[in-house]
Amino acid sequence: MAVAATRERPDRGRSLGSKWYGIAPDYTSAGLTQYIDLFGLPRFQADVSNTIEFTILFLIACILLGFGSAVLLDQHVRGTIFFQNIFLFPLAISFVVTGTVWRWIFNPNFGINLLLEDVHLDFLKSPWLADTRTALYGLVIAAAWQMSGFCMAMFLAGLRAIPDELREAARVDGASEGRIFLRVILPLMRPITLSAIIILGHISLKIFDLVYVMTFGGPGYATDMPSLYMWVAVFRQNLYGRGAAIAMVLLIMVALLIVPYLVWSLRSEDER
Amino acid sequence: MSTAAVTRSPLRPSRLITYALLLVVAAFYLLPIYVIAVTAFKSFIEVSHTTPWQLPSAPSLDAFGNAFTTLAPSFFNSVLLVVPATLLSALLGSLNGYVLSKWRFRGADLVFTLLLFGMFIPYQSILLPLVLVLQKIQLYGGIPGLVLTHVVYGIPITTLIFRNYYAAVPTEVIEAARIDGASVLGIYRHVLLPISMPGFVVVLIWQFTSIWNEFLFAVTLTLPDQWPITVALNGLAGSLLAHYEIQMAGALLTALPPLLIYIVLGRYFIRGLLAGALKG
């Protein structure tokens, strides 16, 4: 990992620059060199695999937690509004606040580990952000804490839109509650799940604040992401060409996710 | 579980399980609030490593005083940023939404689609050109440049919300006003603006919250004396490493304005949230 840092050479492409940094701009085209260099870079390879792992875990956590809470809230219990507000308030808070508090919680010496000891759940103790193997999971938990309410809100709206007649009809046909859930309710949640995956997926690909505040990509490059490396390359290392290349890769990743979704959304809007 | 009336009985075991699970999930979401509460009200001496999860023995407000002294200038910067940026982006979104829903010129749908894509463009992708442009127009480093950035970046979502809002206004109303000789802007001013209040509430709350909480543009485009509060909070954690009580008090101060809005006007906030999902 340390070798990778020293291997970073001065910018060869120099596709962007400004007098502000005391570097004369050189807009000579470097072709695709910048991109070829980028994908050969161990740090960027780590970034890509981190971002994929983070996105998958984050999506799973948000969907399970969000759908689970939505099903619980759809049981017509007392205090639904109260619980709903508790599940949603993190969405109104800055990632910087979330990061500041969760960094404390994940402190191996006095954070959540002490609490887990007290309730005899020692097997859940972990070095959290301090270890390359667990740091990413810490980020996933904090991010899911903040964003899972979004999934909950979408699923709850979906569940409440299901007409009672549909369940009644299935009951009349003799279906059990479990069967109704599996065969009637779950399939109806498919478009909502897809929307949630795309919206949260694109948030995950460009996540910056939380990583910046909680780990700044460390330890090593264990939690480094293209979104953070772009910023570091440009504003800490003056590697404008590399930063610009990462920015384009990010844009393409997000576009691949979002453009089909936009077309799908607008087309079904016309059908309405 | 045959009818809703029967399932309302509170003593069934399935009901108890539902409540138990709801409480477990609620505990997870409230954990950071508990951390802030027990830490921020302690003195520096009590923020020890041995009893960090216990309630403060002698609750004190010293940490809030310290955090406020440090963060007050940036709190004020954030206010100077959020108020104009929110108002301007709401006004532009309202005008855009009006034109895109009621004056569907040729290519209006294409313009709208491109605008929507703007909502999803990663900040990083436009960051370099943005810095260069702000330097060129002498707005780099301060709040005015950040206001401009947020106004431009806010146009997609504010336009989307207003376009959907105005779509519900019958076209006949617009037609009638046109026959009476009202101009494009006259119709906006006298017909649509007076009924736009609910749309503005959703948009203003959404923009206020997003811009107050934003970090990437803020940390990139402002110099230390112009930092908004999110950047200053992060700086606070760096400079007062062991002072967790001040960090947590600072976190609460940073979270307070959007949190108060959420508590008072939460349902409008959720409407803005779901609007951004386009479908659902």
Side-chain angles (χ1 to χ4, degrees), chain B residues 241-263:
Chain B
L241 264 180
H243 281 272
Y244 292 106
E245 80 288 7
I246 302 180
Q247 290 182 29
M248 294 304 160
L252 190 59
L253 284 178
T254 309
L256 212 52
L259 215 49
L260 285 177
I261 287 184
Y262 174 77
I263 290 167

PDB file of all heavy atoms in Angstrom, chain B residues 241-263:
ATOM      1  N   LEU B 241      -8.937  17.338  19.388  1.00  0.00           N
ATOM      2  CA  LEU B 241      -9.015  15.888  19.238  1.00  0.00           C
ATOM      3  C   LEU B 241      -9.673  15.159  20.405  1.00  0.00           C
ATOM      4  O   LEU B 241     -10.584  14.366  20.216  1.00  0.00           O
ATOM      5  CB  LEU B 241      -7.613  15.324  19.015  1.00  0.00           C
ATOM      6  CG  LEU B 241      -7.238  15.108  17.546  1.00  0.00           C
ATOM      7  CD1 LEU B 241      -5.831  14.552  17.444  1.00  0.00           C
ATOM      8  CD2 LEU B 241      -8.242  14.190  16.868  1.00  0.00           C
ATOM      9  N   ALA B 242      -9.199  15.420  21.634  1.00  0.00           N
ATOM     10  CA  ALA B 242      -9.696  14.652  22.777  1.00  0.00           C
ATOM     11  C   ALA B 242     -10.946  15.263  23.395  1.00  0.00           C
ATOM     12  O   ALA B 242     -11.559  14.665  24.268  1.00  0.00           O
ATOM     13  CB  ALA B 242      -8.603  14.529  23.835  1.00  0.00           C
ATOM     14  N   HIS B 243     -11.313  16.468  22.925  1.00  0.00           N
ATOM     15  CA  HIS B 243     -12.465  17.146  23.530  1.00  0.00           C
ATOM     16  C   HIS B 243     -13.768  16.663  22.897  1.00  0.00           C
ATOM     17  O   HIS B 243     -14.438  17.406  22.186  1.00  0.00           O
ATOM     18  CB  HIS B 243     -12.323  18.668  23.378  1.00  0.00           C
ATOM     19  CG  HIS B 243     -11.385  19.277  24.362  1.00  0.00           C
ATOM     20  ND1 HIS B 243     -11.792  19.703  25.601  1.00  0.00           N
ATOM     21  CD2 HIS B 243     -10.057  19.512  24.305  1.00  0.00           C
ATOM     22  CE1 HIS B 243     -10.749  20.177  26.260  1.00  0.00           C
ATOM     23  NE2 HIS B 243      -9.691  20.068  25.502  1.00  0.00           N
ATOM     24  N   TYR B 244     -14.115  15.421  23.199  1.00  0.00           N
ATOM     25  CA  TYR B 244     -15.317  14.858  22.583  1.00  0.00           C
ATOM     26  C   TYR B 244     -16.571  15.605  22.994  1.00  0.00           C
ATOM     27  O   TYR B 244     -17.532  15.667  22.239  1.00  0.00           O
ATOM     28  CB  TYR B 244     -15.429  13.370  22.913  1.00  0.00           C
ATOM     29  CG  TYR B 244     -14.359  12.564  22.250  1.00  0.00           C
ATOM     30  CD1 TYR B 244     -13.291  12.050  22.971  1.00  0.00           C
ATOM     31  CD2 TYR B 244     -14.392  12.345  20.876  1.00  0.00           C
ATOM     32  CE1 TYR B 244     -12.286  11.337  22.352  1.00  0.00           C
ATOM     33  CE2 TYR B 244     -13.395  11.629  20.242  1.00  0.00           C
ATOM     34  CZ  TYR B 244     -12.349  11.126  20.989  1.00  0.00           C
ATOM     35  OH  TYR B 244     -11.355  10.419  20.363  1.00  0.00           O
ATOM     36  N   GLU B 245     -16.539  16.190  24.225  1.00  0.00           N
ATOM     37  CA  GLU B 245     -17.743  16.904  24.666  1.00  0.00           C
ATOM     38  C   GLU B 245     -17.993  18.130  23.769  1.00  0.00           C
ATOM     39  O   GLU B 245     -19.143  18.401  23.409  1.00  0.00           O
ATOM     40  CB  GLU B 245     -17.631  17.273  26.160  1.00  0.00           C
ATOM     41  CG  GLU B 245     -16.807  18.506  26.517  1.00  0.00           C
ATOM     42  CD  GLU B 245     -15.301  18.314  26.363  1.00  0.00           C
ATOM     43  OE1 GLU B 245     -14.884  17.262  25.857  1.00  0.00           O
ATOM     44  OE2 GLU B 245     -14.538  19.232  26.708  1.00  0.00           O
ATOM     45  N   ILE B 246     -16.925  18.806  23.342  1.00  0.00           N
ATOM     46  CA  ILE B 246     -17.102  19.978  22.460  1.00  0.00           C
ATOM     47  C   ILE B 246     -17.490  19.523  21.050  1.00  0.00           C
ATOM     48  O   ILE B 246     -18.337  20.131  20.402  1.00  0.00           O
ATOM     49  CB  ILE B 246     -15.826  20.848  22.436  1.00  0.00           C
ATOM     50  CG1 ILE B 246     -15.490  21.308  23.861  1.00  0.00           C
ATOM     51  CG2 ILE B 246     -16.008  22.059  21.528  1.00  0.00           C
ATOM     52  CD1 ILE B 246     -14.248  22.168  23.958  1.00  0.00           C
ATOM     53  N   GLN B 247     -16.882  18.427  20.596  1.00  0.00           N
ATOM     54  CA  GLN B 247     -17.246  17.904  19.276  1.00  0.00           C
ATOM     55  C   GLN B 247     -18.727  17.556  19.200  1.00  0.00           C
ATOM     56  O   GLN B 247     -19.412  17.857  18.213  1.00  0.00           O
ATOM     57  CB  GLN B 247     -16.431  16.648  18.963  1.00  0.00           C
ATOM     58  CG  GLN B 247     -14.960  16.911  18.702  1.00  0.00           C
ATOM     59  CD  GLN B 247     -14.221  15.633  18.361  1.00  0.00           C
ATOM     60  OE1 GLN B 247     -14.790  14.692  17.821  1.00  0.00           O
ATOM     61  NE2 GLN B 247     -12.946  15.599  18.673  1.00  0.00           N
ATOM     62  N   MET B 248     -19.225  16.893  20.259  1.00  0.00           N
ATOM     63  CA  MET B 248     -20.631  16.475  20.235  1.00  0.00           C
ATOM     64  C   MET B 248     -21.563  17.672  20.362  1.00  0.00           C
ATOM     65  O   MET B 248     -22.607  17.726  19.723  1.00  0.00           O
ATOM     66  CB  MET B 248     -20.911  15.476  21.368  1.00  0.00           C
ATOM     67  CG  MET B 248     -20.194  14.159  21.208  1.00  0.00           C
ATOM     68  SD  MET B 248     -20.567  13.367  19.621  1.00  0.00           S
ATOM     69  CE  MET B 248     -19.174  12.267  19.498  1.00  0.00           C
ATOM     70  N   ALA B 249     -21.174  18.647  21.193  1.00  0.00           N
ATOM     71  CA  ALA B 249     -21.986  19.862  21.293  1.00  0.00           C
ATOM     72  C   ALA B 249     -22.012  20.574  19.941  1.00  0.00           C
ATOM     73  O   ALA B 249     -23.063  21.051  19.491  1.00  0.00           O
ATOM     74  CB  ALA B 249     -21.426  20.778  22.378  1.00  0.00           C
ATOM     75  N   GLY B 250     -20.846  20.607  19.262  1.00  0.00           N
ATOM     76  CA  GLY B 250     -20.770  21.199  17.930  1.00  0.00           C
ATOM     77  C   GLY B 250     -21.633  20.455  16.930  1.00  0.00           C
ATOM     78  O   GLY B 250     -22.303  21.057  16.086  1.00  0.00           O
ATOM     79  N   ALA B 251     -21.617  19.114  17.024  1.00  0.00           N
ATOM     80  CA  ALA B 251     -22.445  18.301  16.123  1.00  0.00           C
ATOM     81  C   ALA B 251     -23.922  18.643  16.312  1.00  0.00           C
ATOM     82  O   ALA B 251     -24.671  18.780  15.342  1.00  0.00           O
ATOM     83  CB  ALA B 251     -22.201  16.815  16.383  1.00  0.00           C
ATOM     84  N   LEU B 252     -24.313  18.818  17.583  1.00  0.00           N
ATOM     85  CA  LEU B 252     -25.715  19.141  17.849  1.00  0.00           C
ATOM     86  C   LEU B 252     -26.071  20.531  17.306  1.00  0.00           C
ATOM     87  O   LEU B 252     -27.133  20.715  16.690  1.00  0.00           O
ATOM     88  CB  LEU B 252     -26.000  19.062  19.353  1.00  0.00           C
ATOM     89  CG  LEU B 252     -27.478  19.153  19.739  1.00  0.00           C
ATOM     90  CD1 LEU B 252     -28.277  18.040  19.088  1.00  0.00           C
ATOM     91  CD2 LEU B 252     -27.652  19.099  21.246  1.00  0.00           C
ATOM     92  N   LEU B 253     -25.169  21.494  17.494  1.00  0.00           N
ATOM     93  CA  LEU B 253     -25.420  22.847  16.968  1.00  0.00           C
ATOM     94  C   LEU B 253     -25.565  22.826  15.449  1.00  0.00           C
ATOM     95  O   LEU B 253     -26.415  23.507  14.877  1.00  0.00           O
ATOM     96  CB  LEU B 253     -24.267  23.787  17.352  1.00  0.00           C
ATOM     97  CG  LEU B 253     -24.229  24.286  18.786  1.00  0.00           C
ATOM     98  CD1 LEU B 253     -23.002  25.166  18.992  1.00  0.00           C
ATOM     99  CD2 LEU B 253     -25.500  25.063  19.121  1.00  0.00           C
ATOM    100  N   THR B 254     -24.713  22.013  14.790  1.00  0.00           N
ATOM    101  CA  THR B 254     -24.767  21.918  13.333  1.00  0.00           C
ATOM    102  C   THR B 254     -26.065  21.276  12.870  1.00  0.00           C
ATOM    103  O   THR B 254     -26.652  21.672  11.864  1.00  0.00           O
ATOM    104  CB  THR B 254     -23.566  21.092  12.824  1.00  0.00           C
ATOM    105  OG1 THR B 254     -22.370  21.622  13.393  1.00  0.00           O
ATOM    106  CG2 THR B 254     -23.476  21.131  11.319  1.00  0.00           C
ATOM    107  N   ALA B 255     -26.504  20.260  13.621  1.00  0.00           N
ATOM    108  CA  ALA B 255     -27.703  19.523  13.211  1.00  0.00           C
ATOM    109  C   ALA B 255     -28.983  20.266  13.562  1.00  0.00           C
ATOM    110  O   ALA B 255     -30.042  19.971  12.995  1.00  0.00           O
ATOM    111  CB  ALA B 255     -27.693  18.144  13.877  1.00  0.00           C
ATOM    112  N   LEU B 256     -28.892  21.228  14.475  1.00  0.00           N
ATOM    113  CA  LEU B 256     -30.101  21.823  15.051  1.00  0.00           C
ATOM    114  C   LEU B 256     -31.052  22.498  14.049  1.00  0.00           C
ATOM    115  O   LEU B 256     -32.248  22.170  14.045  1.00  0.00           O
ATOM    116  CB  LEU B 256     -29.713  22.797  16.169  1.00  0.00           C
ATOM    117  CG  LEU B 256     -30.716  22.900  17.320  1.00  0.00           C
ATOM    118  CD1 LEU B 256     -31.060  21.536  17.880  1.00  0.00           C
ATOM    119  CD2 LEU B 256     -30.166  23.798  18.420  1.00  0.00           C
ATOM    120  N   PRO B 257     -30.567  23.415  13.179  1.00  0.00           N
ATOM    121  CA  PRO B 257     -31.534  24.084  12.295  1.00  0.00           C
ATOM    122  C   PRO B 257     -32.336  23.125  11.403  1.00  0.00           C
ATOM    123  O   PRO B 257     -33.572  23.191  11.401  1.00  0.00           O
ATOM    124  CB  PRO B 257     -30.662  25.044  11.481  1.00  0.00           C
ATOM    125  CG  PRO B 257     -29.464  25.275  12.339  1.00  0.00           C
ATOM    126  CD  PRO B 257     -29.232  23.981  13.053  1.00  0.00           C
ATOM    127  N   PRO B 258     -31.677  22.214  10.661  1.00  0.00           N
ATOM    128  CA  PRO B 258     -32.487  21.291   9.856  1.00  0.00           C
ATOM    129  C   PRO B 258     -33.365  20.374  10.727  1.00  0.00           C
ATOM    130  O   PRO B 258     -34.470  20.018  10.325  1.00  0.00           O
ATOM    131  CB  PRO B 258     -31.451  20.470   9.070  1.00  0.00           C
ATOM    132  CG  PRO B 258     -30.144  20.762   9.660  1.00  0.00           C
ATOM    133  CD  PRO B 258     -30.237  22.037  10.395  1.00  0.00           C
ATOM    134  N   LEU B 259     -32.853  20.021  11.909  1.00  0.00           N
ATOM    135  CA  LEU B 259     -33.613  19.133  12.788  1.00  0.00           C
ATOM    136  C   LEU B 259     -34.894  19.820  13.279  1.00  0.00           C
ATOM    137  O   LEU B 259     -35.970  19.204  13.319  1.00  0.00           O
ATOM    138  CB  LEU B 259     -32.742  18.738  13.982  1.00  0.00           C
ATOM    139  CG  LEU B 259     -32.919  17.330  14.539  1.00  0.00           C
ATOM    140  CD1 LEU B 259     -32.889  16.294  13.440  1.00  0.00           C
ATOM    141  CD2 LEU B 259     -31.833  17.031  15.555  1.00  0.00           C
ATOM    142  N   LEU B 260     -34.773  21.102  13.626  1.00  0.00           N
ATOM    143  CA  LEU B 260     -35.960  21.845  14.074  1.00  0.00           C
ATOM    144  C   LEU B 260     -36.992  21.916  12.948  1.00  0.00           C
ATOM    145  O   LEU B 260     -38.197  21.711  13.168  1.00  0.00           O
ATOM    146  CB  LEU B 260     -35.569  23.261  14.511  1.00  0.00           C
ATOM    147  CG  LEU B 260     -34.859  23.353  15.862  1.00  0.00           C
ATOM    148  CD1 LEU B 260     -34.468  24.789  16.155  1.00  0.00           C
ATOM    149  CD2 LEU B 260     -35.747  22.799  16.977  1.00  0.00           C
ATOM    150  N   ILE B 261     -36.508  22.180  11.737  1.00  0.00           N
ATOM    151  CA  ILE B 261     -37.420  22.233  10.593  1.00  0.00           C
ATOM    152  C   ILE B 261     -38.084  20.885  10.387  1.00  0.00           C
ATOM    153  O   ILE B 261     -39.285  20.792  10.135  1.00  0.00           O
ATOM    154  CB  ILE B 261     -36.652  22.673   9.328  1.00  0.00           C
ATOM    155  CG1 ILE B 261     -36.349  24.154   9.443  1.00  0.00           C
ATOM    156  CG2 ILE B 261     -37.440  22.368   8.067  1.00  0.00           C
ATOM    157  CD1 ILE B 261     -35.696  24.744   8.233  1.00  0.00           C
ATOM    158  N   TYR B 262     -37.292  19.816  10.521  1.00  0.00           N
ATOM    159  CA  TYR B 262     -37.849  18.475  10.349  1.00  0.00           C
ATOM    160  C   TYR B 262     -38.937  18.200  11.393  1.00  0.00           C
ATOM    161  O   TYR B 262     -39.988  17.641  11.089  1.00  0.00           O
ATOM    162  CB  TYR B 262     -36.738  17.426  10.456  1.00  0.00           C
ATOM    163  CG  TYR B 262     -37.282  16.018  10.423  1.00  0.00           C
ATOM    164  CD1 TYR B 262     -37.681  15.438   9.234  1.00  0.00           C
ATOM    165  CD2 TYR B 262     -37.409  15.278  11.602  1.00  0.00           C
ATOM    166  CE1 TYR B 262     -38.203  14.171   9.199  1.00  0.00           C
ATOM    167  CE2 TYR B 262     -37.923  14.001  11.573  1.00  0.00           C
ATOM    168  CZ  TYR B 262     -38.316  13.452  10.376  1.00  0.00           C
ATOM    169  OH  TYR B 262     -38.841  12.190  10.355  1.00  0.00           O
ATOM    170  N   ILE B 263     -38.680  18.619  12.641  1.00  0.00           N
ATOM    171  CA  ILE B 263     -39.650  18.359  13.699  1.00  0.00           C
ATOM    172  C   ILE B 263     -40.953  19.122  13.436  1.00  0.00           C
ATOM    173  O   ILE B 263     -42.049  18.591  13.598  1.00  0.00           O
ATOM    174  CB  ILE B 263     -39.047  18.733  15.072  1.00  0.00           C
ATOM    175  CG1 ILE B 263     -37.944  17.727  15.437  1.00  0.00           C
ATOM    176  CG2 ILE B 263     -40.122  18.753  16.164  1.00  0.00           C
ATOM    177  CD1 ILE B 263     -37.069  18.145  16.599  1.00  0.00           C
TER     178      ILE B 263
END
